[in-house]
Amino acid sequence: NAGVTQTPKFQVLKTGQSMTLQCAQDMNHEYMSWYRQDPGMGLRLIHYSVGAGITDQGEVPNGYNVSRSTTEDFPLRLLSAAPSQTSVYFCASTDLPRDRRNEQYFGPGTRLTVT
Amino acid sequence: ILNVEQSPQSLHVQEGDSTNFTCSFPSSNFYALHWYRWETAKSPEALFVMTLNGDEKKKGRISATLNTKEGYSYLYIKGSQPEDSATYLCAGPVNTGTASKLTFGTGTRLQVTL
């Protein structure tokens, strides 16, 4: 199993550009999520999905879109990049927990800089 | 406590020292507390998921305890080694009815030197 994969690893964008961060998992996990990590802020949830066709907003969703057309893939789209979106982005997945105890598996992260 | 809070923010110990840090979380509607270990330039990896009051979990030299009534968990590292240097994150579901909508603390950054 490759686990959770993310591409690209690094990206530099100019303000106003759009792009898609890719995330895929091969563990047949129902639940997938996107976090951003900023200094002193910990990991903050952007969007999450509990299964194909179902997505919902997290703590900091503005400026981002997601879709979940398959169980494996959960891309994150930046519609019009802003310097405030400079961050490290992590994708995570887990089994949809029956008793809410399942650990999350994280991808390697995408470091995004918006100039 | 309205959020997940960790202390201290950072810690610097010598090799061989034992250390511990704290995660505080809302005690109402509790059902799980996660601990993750996050090395620089890598992705977070799960250490423990704890659910029961009084729970104690252990993995090698690292152990954790849980008090759900007062809303805290302690992570202990016995005989710290340089390879223990990492940021330790705790996470819990806060103010949500969704199972895995975790709220992460800001972490405790541990540095172990020779």
Side-chain angles (χ1 to χ4, degrees):
Chain A
N1 284 352
V4 180
T5 58
Q6 290 182 237
T7 56
K9 288 189 177 178
F10 302 94
Q11 183 70 48
V12 179
L13 289 178
K14 294 189 176 181
T15 297
Q17 287 184 315
S18 61
M19 80 158 294
T20 299
L21 279 60
Q22 301 291 344
C23 174
Q25 53 88 14
D26 60 1
M27 297 174 281
N28 203 32
H29 285 166
E30 294 168 289
Y31 182 92
M32 297 184 74
S33 54
W34 276 101
Y35 294 88
R36 58 178 289 174
Q37 189 266 324
D38 302 295
M41 301 289 286
L43 290 168
R44 291 185 293 169
L45 183 64
I46 304 171
H47 284 285
Y48 67 98
S49 168
V50 298
I54 306 169
T55 63
D56 206 346
Q57 295 182 348
E59 183 185 353
V60 287
N62 291 342
Y64 307 95
N65 272 357
V66 292
S67 59
R68 185 94 179 271
S69 56
T70 67
T71 300
E72 294 79 20
D73 300 298
F74 191 43
L76 178 73
R77 277 183 285 278
L78 278 70
L79 309 171
S80 177
S84 60
Q85 293 178 304
T86 294
S87 188
V88 181
Y89 292 84
F90 286 96
C91 178
S93 75
T94 187
D95 283 329
L96 195 63
R98 290 181 297 277
D99 55 7
R100 304 171 178 174
R101 301 175 188 183
N102 292 8
E103 64 189 67
Q104 297 207 22
Y105 294 84
F106 285 85
T110 295
R111 184 174 293 274
L112 175 68
T113 302
V114 183
T115 61
Chain B
I1 298 287
L2 299 178
N3 214 332
V4 178
E5 298 176 0
Q6 292 187 248
S7 62
Q9 278 191 331
S10 64
L11 204 50
H12 189 165
V13 302
Q14 302 282 344
E15 182 182 16
D17 288 349
S18 293
T19 186
N20 66 86
F21 17 97
T22 305
C23 174
S24 302
F25 53 88
S27 54
S28 58
N29 299 317
F30 172 86
Y31 48 82
L33 191 283
H34 296 224
W35 279 102
Y36 291 83
R37 181 173 180 274
W38 191 3
E39 289 182 72
T40 302
K42 295 188 178 179
S43 49
E45 291 184 348
L47 284 171
F48 307 114
V49 178
M50 309 178 75
T51 56
L52 298 175
N53 185 42
D55 227 359
E56 285 191 37
K57 296 217 171 183
K58 189 175 180 182
K59 186 180 288 188
R61 293 177 292 98
I62 304 176
S63 60
T65 60
L66 180 66
N67 183 322
T68 60
K69 293 183 179 178
E70 296 183 35
Y72 64 84
S73 175
Y74 292 139
L75 190 80
Y76 300 91
I77 302 179
K78 185 178 178 182
S80 303
Q81 299 296 310
E83 57 265 30
D84 295 328
S85 298
T87 296
Y88 292 83
L89 296 170
C90 71
V94 176
N95 297 328
T96 75
T98 301
S100 286
K101 199 172 175 181
L102 293 176
T103 296
F104 282 81
T106 54
T108 293
R109 185 172 180 177
L110 175 67
Q111 189 172 357
V112 183
T113 53
L114 298 171

